[in-house]
Amino acid sequence: MTRFATSTALLLALSPLAAQAETGTETETPQALAQLLDQAEIIRITNAIDIAVDRKDWNLARSYFAETIHVDFTSLIGGEPATIPADALIAGWAGNLTAEKESFHLRGNHQVSFADADTASVYSHGYAWNRMERGLAPENGGEALWEVWGSYTHALQRGDTGWEVTGMSFTATAERGSSFVRNTPGN
């Protein structure tokens, strides 16, 4: 067995797609590998959004989204789900998470589903915190940290330059900490 064949066999054996690829035809193995690569890229993109946001690299964060995006953060902020320009989403994040307000996002347990070769969604668990020193002031509640746990669902479409996020929702399951930090944009 060649190194490539050994690596391919190992990759397929470790994958949830392994059962689908065990049909014995050689044409299905490249398709399964392509789907594994797409799955890895989709997970990378959702994680990279968090990294870009925490680094406050708004141009990089914007690069992962289509021109318009369907968003649903109603479990955190109320209102209704909406389809908005991705630029507006990034502007909202940048306006809230300024240099004064630190953030940390963590995502795991990704479950990628494909509707077809060019349409996918990924469900993941998420954790985030925001920290702002002004929250320590007695008049601001005396606490500098706000935390939230929940689940994300991202919708993605393959575009001319690769996968783009076309939808994003977050369903909060728990939160604790300073409402001042949560609700107050940084300076």
Side-chain angles (χ1 to χ4, degrees), residues 54-100:
D54 291 342
R55 291 180 177 169
K56 301 176 187 343
D57 188 340
W58 306 117
N59 290 329
L60 181 60
R62 172 61 183 88
S63 74
Y64 298 115
F65 293 95
E67 289 301 312
T68 59
I69 179 170
H70 183 77
V71 295
D72 182 353
F73 298 111
T74 56
S75 70
L76 279 177
I77 59 174
E80 296 293 326
T83 299
I84 62 172
D87 290 340
L89 175 68
I90 300 301
W93 288 348
N96 183 42
L97 298 172
T98 63
E100 179 191 23

Side-chain angles (χ1 to χ4, degrees), residues 6-186:
T6 302
S7 297
T8 301
L10 178 61
L11 185 61
L12 288 173
L14 295 175
S15 164
L17 298 174
Q20 295 173 11
E22 289 179 357
T23 62
T25 64
E26 291 185 22
T27 57
E28 291 180 5
T29 299
Q31 291 170 345
L33 288 175
Q35 193 171 25
L36 284 172
L37 292 173
D38 284 338
Q39 181 177 342
E41 177 63 3
I42 288 165
I43 292 169
R44 184 195 70 77
I45 288 168
T46 60
N47 290 337
I49 291 168
D50 289 345
I51 293 167
V53 166
D54 291 342
R55 291 180 177 169
K56 301 176 187 343
D57 188 340
W58 306 117
N59 290 329
L60 181 60
R62 172 61 183 88
S63 74
Y64 298 115
F65 293 95
E67 289 301 312
T68 59
I69 179 170
H70 183 77
V71 295
D72 182 353
F73 298 111
T74 56
S75 70
L76 279 177
I77 59 174
E80 296 293 326
T83 299
I84 62 172
D87 290 340
L89 175 68
I90 300 301
W93 288 348
N96 183 42
L97 298 172
T98 63
E100 179 191 23
K101 193 174 193 177
E102 297 173 81
S103 66
F104 174 83
H105 293 81
L106 185 64
R107 183 184 315 279
N109 299 329
H110 300 83
Q111 298 293 313
V112 179
S113 301
F114 292 92
D116 58 46
D118 297 323
T119 309
S121 64
V122 59
Y123 170 89
S124 60
H125 294 166
Y127 166 77
W129 62 253
N130 292 170
R131 186 174 192 292
M132 191 164 57
E133 288 297 316
R134 267 194 299 149
L136 290 172
E139 65 272 17
N140 296 335
E143 191 172 357
L145 188 66
W146 172 75
E147 300 172 277
V148 64
W149 294 260
S151 60
Y152 285 95
T153 301
H154 290 77
L156 296 96
Q157 185 74 37
R158 190 190 314 267
D160 293 338
T161 60
W163 289 99
E164 299 176 317
V165 176
T166 59
M168 182 176 181
S169 66
F170 180 75
T171 302
T173 55
E175 66 176 283
R176 71 176 174 194
S178 171
S179 59
F180 175 85
V181 172
R182 174 189 170 191
N183 298 328
T184 304

